[in-house]
Amino acid sequence: MSDIVLSTLIKPLEEFFMPEFVEEIAINRAGEVWMRLHGARVPWAAYKSEKLSKQYLVDLIHTVANVYERPFDPVRGLPVVYATLPGQHRFTGIAGPNVMYDDKDVTGGVALNIRGHFVGKDAFDKYHFKQGQPLLKIKGRSKKKSNDPYERLMQAINEGSPILISGATSTGKTTFLNHILTLIDQNSRVITVEDARELHVPQKNRVHFVLSRTEQTNQMNYSRLLDLVVRMTPDVIIGGEISTDNASVMWEMMGTGHDHFYTTIHAESAEAAYGAFADRILHTQPAYKRAELIAEMKNKLHVVQLSRDGTLRAVTEVI
């Protein structure tokens, strides 16, 4: 009986995720669905649908949880559900105070992804993988660094390299990060991870995940948040300020292969930023060797240092 209920309940979404030209769909708020299209120049396309009310979406997540015997309790338990729907479609859904789209989600929002499943004789063609043909080179990081700090930062942003914005209190780290977001493709899908909503994301295809240090009541934590973020197919990941609670997870996120990862840290210099990041990781993951960890950070992570003298704020280092 529960299978029949789910089959009936999910029908309003089938028109979006069932076509073969659709790779996946993402819902960031009620009434709107984003479709990721195979091979499209602009991969994400948005559509409005009055059927996708918040109550409908929450009911759908509850039903998936019941059918597949998954725990789901946004208030006191786990607010996220993972399942594989009939047809091998991968389902990820979250509701409650840990997810927001904008400031209107005062009681929490809802978001979900359904990834399509396509198997055919030309399935390898989607990956440009054919017998007798060389492997395709998508992109790579430039090994040549400009002597101009501004050009180095622009190059890092354009290449999607991870960037750590460092500075003492009131140096404008969040403001600087908000400006970087305006330089990123407006068609990008952006996911933020914060302990309080501070970032202003101009991209419409976005989800904000919040894990409050002071008001957390359910069982969501940073490790579970990592699993959720990578399943939500972000083009850009924005982390809140690095702390002992989230440092190891932020570092793991940088290693998931996603471009455009940005976060901030409280430090007085670029060199101190690497050390502070490493020390916060070691607080929960003592098996790391500090020198090796810092060396790896310097190899893959750019640092923009902000400094302040009275009312004067300036970028003082770009590594």
Side-chain angles (χ1 to χ4, degrees):
M1 178 62 71
S2 56
D3 290 345
I4 297 175
V5 173
L6 177 57
S7 297
T8 302
L9 192 60
I10 205 167
K11 282 192 178 298
L13 281 177
E14 287 185 344
E15 64 178 289
F16 297 109
F17 72 82
M18 288 295 287
E20 291 186 355
F21 59 83
V22 178
E23 183 174 338
E24 69 180 301
I25 65 169
I27 295 176
N28 309 321
R29 60 174 173 171
E32 183 178 80
V33 57
W34 290 82
M35 300 168 64
R36 187 179 180 97
L37 310 177
H38 287 297
R41 184 180 65 84
V42 179
W44 292 101
Y47 294 89
K48 302 290 185 181
S49 175
E50 295 181 357
K51 299 178 182 178
L52 307 180
S53 67
K54 182 177 179 180
Q55 189 60 57
Y56 163 76
L57 296 171
V58 173
D59 288 345
L60 176 61
I61 298 173
H62 269 289
T63 303
V64 171
N66 290 335
V67 169
Y68 294 97
E69 298 182 344
R70 304 286 196 270
F72 178 62
D73 181 355
V75 178
R76 299 293 178 187
L78 289 175
V80 61
V81 173
Y82 305 116
T84 302
L85 304 176
Q88 299 300 303
H89 300 286
R90 191 182 71 186
F91 177 94
T92 301
I94 180 172
N98 298 113
V99 57
M100 298 181 180
Y101 178 80
D102 53 29
D103 295 337
K104 297 178 182 178
D105 293 327
V106 292
T107 60
V110 59
L112 64 84
N113 272 51
I114 300 178
R115 191 170 183 82
H117 178 69
F118 173 71
V119 177
K121 63 180 180 180
D122 60 346
F124 279 152
D125 287 351
K126 293 190 303 179
Y127 300 94
H128 301 274
F129 185 56
K130 296 182 180 180
Q131 185 176 8
Q133 292 189 5
L135 297 178
L136 191 65
K137 293 184 179 180
I138 300 294
K139 59 183 176 180
R141 307 288 190 225
S142 175
K143 295 182 179 179
K144 184 178 180 181
K145 290 186 177 181
S146 171
N147 292 325
D148 185 297
Y150 182 90
E151 290 183 0
R152 285 204 300 274
L153 177 58
M154 292 303 105
Q155 182 180 19
I157 294 172
N158 292 334
E159 292 180 348
S161 300
I163 296 174
L164 177 62
I165 300 170
S166 170
T169 302
S170 298
T171 51
K173 297 186 292 295
T174 301
T175 301
F176 192 85
L177 179 51
N178 279 328
H179 181 64
I180 286 180
L181 279 168
T182 67
L183 304 178
I184 295 172
D185 188 348
Q186 294 301 297
N187 296 305
S188 297
R189 175 167 171 75
V190 179
I191 292 181
T192 73
V193 178
E194 304 172 78
D195 55 27
R197 284 282 289 107
E198 292 184 311
L199 296 168
H200 302 287
V201 179
Q203 288 80 2
K204 293 181 180 180
N205 187 359
R206 66 179 188 269
V207 180
H208 301 285
F209 293 127
V210 179
L211 199 60
S212 173
R213 301 183 195 180
T214 58
E215 300 175 2
Q216 185 70 17
T217 59
N218 60 21
Q219 298 175 17
M220 199 64 175
N221 57 36
Y222 279 107
S223 294
R224 290 183 173 126
L225 204 55
L226 170 62
D227 293 336
L228 176 63
V229 168
V230 297
R231 287 171 180 258
M232 286 285 184
T233 320
D235 298 315
V236 180
I237 302 175
I238 313 293
E241 186 164 9
I242 297 293
S243 67
T244 54
D245 293 327
N246 65 23
S248 61
V249 170
M250 294 294 184
W251 180 240
E252 284 187 62
M253 283 186 186
M254 291 184 193
T256 58
H258 292 88
D259 288 343
H260 295 290
F261 187 101
Y262 306 94
T263 188
T264 65
I265 197 166
H266 189 104
E268 296 288 348
S269 68
E271 186 67 28
Y274 288 121
F277 196 177
D279 289 340
R280 285 163 174 74
I281 293 172
L282 291 168
H283 186 81
T284 56
Q285 301 291 333
Y288 280 108
K289 293 183 179 180
R290 187 175 188 273
E292 293 179 1
L293 186 56
I294 292 176
E296 186 177 355
M297 287 180 177
K298 290 182 177 181
N299 187 52
K300 68 191 297 186
L301 177 61
H302 294 272
V303 174
V304 177
Q305 181 65 36
L306 305 182
S307 299
R308 178 183 177 219
D309 184 2
T311 59
L312 174 65
R313 292 177 174 85
V315 174
T316 52
E317 293 179 89
V318 178
I319 305 299

mmCIF file of all heavy atoms in Angstrom, residues 8 36 39 61 71 73-74 88 100 115 126 169 200 204 214 271-272 275 282 305:
data_model
loop_
_atom_site.group_PDB
_atom_site.id
_atom_site.type_symbol
_atom_site.label_atom_id
_atom_site.label_comp_id
_atom_site.label_asym_id
_atom_site.label_seq_id
_atom_site.Cartn_x
_atom_site.Cartn_y
_atom_site.Cartn_z
ATOM 1 N N THR A 8 1.820 7.378 -6.479
ATOM 2 C CA THR A 8 0.824 8.419 -6.760
ATOM 3 C C THR A 8 1.360 9.795 -6.387
ATOM 4 O O THR A 8 1.214 10.762 -7.141
ATOM 5 C CB THR A 8 -0.468 8.139 -5.976
ATOM 6 O OG1 THR A 8 -0.972 6.846 -6.334
ATOM 7 C CG2 THR A 8 -1.513 9.201 -6.282
ATOM 8 N N ARG A 36 18.633 19.694 -14.638
ATOM 9 C CA ARG A 36 19.986 19.658 -15.195
ATOM 10 C C ARG A 36 19.937 18.807 -16.464
ATOM 11 O O ARG A 36 19.611 17.619 -16.400
ATOM 12 C CB ARG A 36 20.969 19.066 -14.186
ATOM 13 C CG ARG A 36 22.429 19.156 -14.621
ATOM 14 C CD ARG A 36 23.337 18.565 -13.551
ATOM 15 N NE ARG A 36 24.732 18.642 -13.924
ATOM 16 C CZ ARG A 36 25.559 19.607 -13.523
ATOM 17 N NH1 ARG A 36 25.109 20.573 -12.755
ATOM 18 N NH2 ARG A 36 26.820 19.611 -13.886
ATOM 19 N N GLY A 39 24.296 17.696 -21.755
ATOM 20 C CA GLY A 39 24.932 18.332 -22.900
ATOM 21 C C GLY A 39 24.478 19.735 -23.212
ATOM 22 O O GLY A 39 24.803 20.270 -24.273
ATOM 23 N N ILE A 61 8.900 13.631 1.176
ATOM 24 C CA ILE A 61 10.068 13.141 1.917
ATOM 25 C C ILE A 61 9.633 12.179 3.022
ATOM 26 O O ILE A 61 10.239 11.122 3.221
ATOM 27 C CB ILE A 61 10.872 14.318 2.503
ATOM 28 C CG1 ILE A 61 11.399 15.210 1.379
ATOM 29 C CG2 ILE A 61 12.047 13.797 3.332
ATOM 30 C CD1 ILE A 61 12.069 16.489 1.865
ATOM 31 N N PRO A 71 14.868 6.780 8.890
ATOM 32 C CA PRO A 71 14.476 7.741 9.931
ATOM 33 C C PRO A 71 14.342 9.140 9.342
ATOM 34 O O PRO A 71 15.136 9.540 8.498
ATOM 35 C CB PRO A 71 15.632 7.659 10.935
ATOM 36 C CG PRO A 71 16.810 7.207 10.125
ATOM 37 C CD PRO A 71 16.252 6.292 9.066
ATOM 38 N N ASP A 73 13.114 12.971 10.987
ATOM 39 C CA ASP A 73 12.529 13.838 12.005
ATOM 40 C C ASP A 73 13.311 15.144 11.997
ATOM 41 O O ASP A 73 14.354 15.258 12.632
ATOM 42 C CB ASP A 73 12.598 13.181 13.388
ATOM 43 C CG ASP A 73 11.959 14.050 14.477
ATOM 44 O OD1 ASP A 73 11.553 15.187 14.174
ATOM 45 O OD2 ASP A 73 11.886 13.580 15.620
ATOM 46 N N PRO A 74 12.841 16.146 11.242
ATOM 47 C CA PRO A 74 13.592 17.405 11.111
ATOM 48 C C PRO A 74 13.804 18.153 12.419
ATOM 49 O O PRO A 74 14.753 18.920 12.534
ATOM 50 C CB PRO A 74 12.715 18.226 10.155
ATOM 51 C CG PRO A 74 11.879 17.230 9.427
ATOM 52 C CD PRO A 74 11.631 16.126 10.409
ATOM 53 N N GLN A 88 15.750 3.083 -10.364
ATOM 54 C CA GLN A 88 17.120 3.424 -9.958
ATOM 55 C C GLN A 88 17.393 4.920 -9.952
ATOM 56 O O GLN A 88 18.495 5.371 -10.207
ATOM 57 C CB GLN A 88 18.138 2.707 -10.864
ATOM 58 C CG GLN A 88 18.068 1.198 -10.825
ATOM 59 C CD GLN A 88 18.321 0.658 -9.422
ATOM 60 O OE1 GLN A 88 19.350 0.927 -8.825
ATOM 61 N NE2 GLN A 88 17.368 -0.105 -8.901
ATOM 62 N N MET A 100 17.581 26.384 4.053
ATOM 63 C CA MET A 100 16.887 27.630 3.731
ATOM 64 C C MET A 100 17.160 27.997 2.278
ATOM 65 O O MET A 100 18.177 27.599 1.713
ATOM 66 C CB MET A 100 17.377 28.774 4.624
ATOM 67 C CG MET A 100 17.127 28.595 6.108
ATOM 68 S SD MET A 100 17.728 30.042 7.032
ATOM 69 C CE MET A 100 17.295 29.561 8.704
ATOM 70 N N ARG A 115 18.104 12.219 -9.026
ATOM 71 C CA ARG A 115 19.049 12.015 -10.120
ATOM 72 C C ARG A 115 18.517 10.942 -11.043
ATOM 73 O O ARG A 115 18.182 9.841 -10.605
ATOM 74 C CB ARG A 115 20.413 11.617 -9.577
ATOM 75 C CG ARG A 115 21.515 11.652 -10.617
ATOM 76 C CD ARG A 115 22.886 11.486 -9.969
ATOM 77 N NE ARG A 115 23.959 11.596 -10.929
ATOM 78 C CZ ARG A 115 24.475 12.730 -11.368
ATOM 79 N NH1 ARG A 115 23.982 13.863 -10.926
ATOM 80 N NH2 ARG A 115 25.458 12.756 -12.241
ATOM 81 N N LYS A 126 28.100 9.717 -23.650
ATOM 82 C CA LYS A 126 27.889 10.904 -22.822
ATOM 83 C C LYS A 126 29.192 11.371 -22.174
ATOM 84 O O LYS A 126 29.325 12.524 -21.788
ATOM 85 C CB LYS A 126 26.868 10.610 -21.721
ATOM 86 C CG LYS A 126 25.462 10.349 -22.210
ATOM 87 C CD LYS A 126 24.485 10.314 -21.054
ATOM 88 C CE LYS A 126 24.869 9.275 -20.022
ATOM 89 N NZ LYS A 126 23.924 9.267 -18.874
ATOM 90 N N THR A 169 39.363 40.097 13.084
ATOM 91 C CA THR A 169 37.995 40.578 13.267
ATOM 92 C C THR A 169 37.789 41.920 12.562
ATOM 93 O O THR A 169 38.661 42.792 12.581
ATOM 94 C CB THR A 169 37.694 40.744 14.768
ATOM 95 O OG1 THR A 169 37.900 39.492 15.417
ATOM 96 C CG2 THR A 169 36.268 41.196 14.992
ATOM 97 N N HIS A 200 25.228 36.492 0.989
ATOM 98 C CA HIS A 200 24.210 36.959 0.053
ATOM 99 C C HIS A 200 24.560 36.417 -1.331
ATOM 100 O O HIS A 200 25.476 36.912 -1.984
ATOM 101 C CB HIS A 200 24.137 38.483 0.046
ATOM 102 C CG HIS A 200 23.848 39.070 1.399
ATOM 103 N ND1 HIS A 200 22.603 38.999 1.993
ATOM 104 C CD2 HIS A 200 24.654 39.706 2.289
ATOM 105 C CE1 HIS A 200 22.643 39.588 3.175
ATOM 106 N NE2 HIS A 200 23.874 40.023 3.388
ATOM 107 N N LYS A 204 20.381 32.309 -8.523
ATOM 108 C CA LYS A 204 19.030 31.870 -8.145
ATOM 109 C C LYS A 204 18.981 30.384 -7.793
ATOM 110 O O LYS A 204 18.137 29.960 -7.005
ATOM 111 C CB LYS A 204 18.048 32.188 -9.280
ATOM 112 C CG LYS A 204 17.841 33.681 -9.507
ATOM 113 C CD LYS A 204 16.839 33.942 -10.614
ATOM 114 C CE LYS A 204 16.636 35.435 -10.817
ATOM 115 N NZ LYS A 204 15.656 35.728 -11.902
ATOM 116 N N THR A 214 24.579 27.156 18.470
ATOM 117 C CA THR A 214 23.872 27.437 19.724
ATOM 118 C C THR A 214 22.430 26.941 19.754
ATOM 119 O O THR A 214 21.878 26.731 20.826
ATOM 120 C CB THR A 214 23.858 28.953 19.990
ATOM 121 O OG1 THR A 214 23.223 29.621 18.881
ATOM 122 C CG2 THR A 214 25.274 29.480 20.141
ATOM 123 N N GLU A 271 50.387 32.886 6.079
ATOM 124 C CA GLU A 271 51.098 31.763 6.684
ATOM 125 C C GLU A 271 50.361 31.291 7.935
ATOM 126 O O GLU A 271 50.196 30.073 8.161
ATOM 127 C CB GLU A 271 52.528 32.179 7.053
ATOM 128 C CG GLU A 271 53.402 31.043 7.558
ATOM 129 C CD GLU A 271 53.710 30.011 6.484
ATOM 130 O OE1 GLU A 271 53.729 30.361 5.291
ATOM 131 O OE2 GLU A 271 53.936 28.838 6.856
ATOM 132 N N ALA A 272 49.888 32.232 8.749
ATOM 133 C CA ALA A 272 49.144 31.874 9.953
ATOM 134 C C ALA A 272 47.806 31.221 9.614
ATOM 135 O O ALA A 272 47.307 30.383 10.371
ATOM 136 C CB ALA A 272 48.916 33.115 10.813
ATOM 137 N N GLY A 275 48.372 27.557 9.091
ATOM 138 C CA GLY A 275 48.602 26.924 10.383
ATOM 139 C C GLY A 275 47.331 26.826 11.211
ATOM 140 O O GLY A 275 47.066 25.796 11.846
ATOM 141 N N LEU A 282 43.409 19.288 13.283
ATOM 142 C CA LEU A 282 44.065 18.392 14.233
ATOM 143 C C LEU A 282 43.298 18.284 15.546
ATOM 144 O O LEU A 282 43.442 17.288 16.265
ATOM 145 C CB LEU A 282 45.495 18.879 14.504
ATOM 146 C CG LEU A 282 46.462 18.735 13.317
ATOM 147 C CD1 LEU A 282 47.745 19.512 13.584
ATOM 148 C CD2 LEU A 282 46.775 17.270 13.058
ATOM 149 N N GLN A 305 44.648 37.368 2.065
ATOM 150 C CA GLN A 305 44.759 37.947 3.403
ATOM 151 C C GLN A 305 44.213 39.365 3.405
ATOM 152 O O GLN A 305 44.605 40.205 2.591
ATOM 153 C CB GLN A 305 46.216 37.952 3.870
ATOM 154 C CG GLN A 305 46.421 38.504 5.263
ATOM 155 C CD GLN A 305 45.760 37.630 6.335
ATOM 156 O OE1 GLN A 305 45.740 36.408 6.217
ATOM 157 N NE2 GLN A 305 45.241 38.264 7.376
#
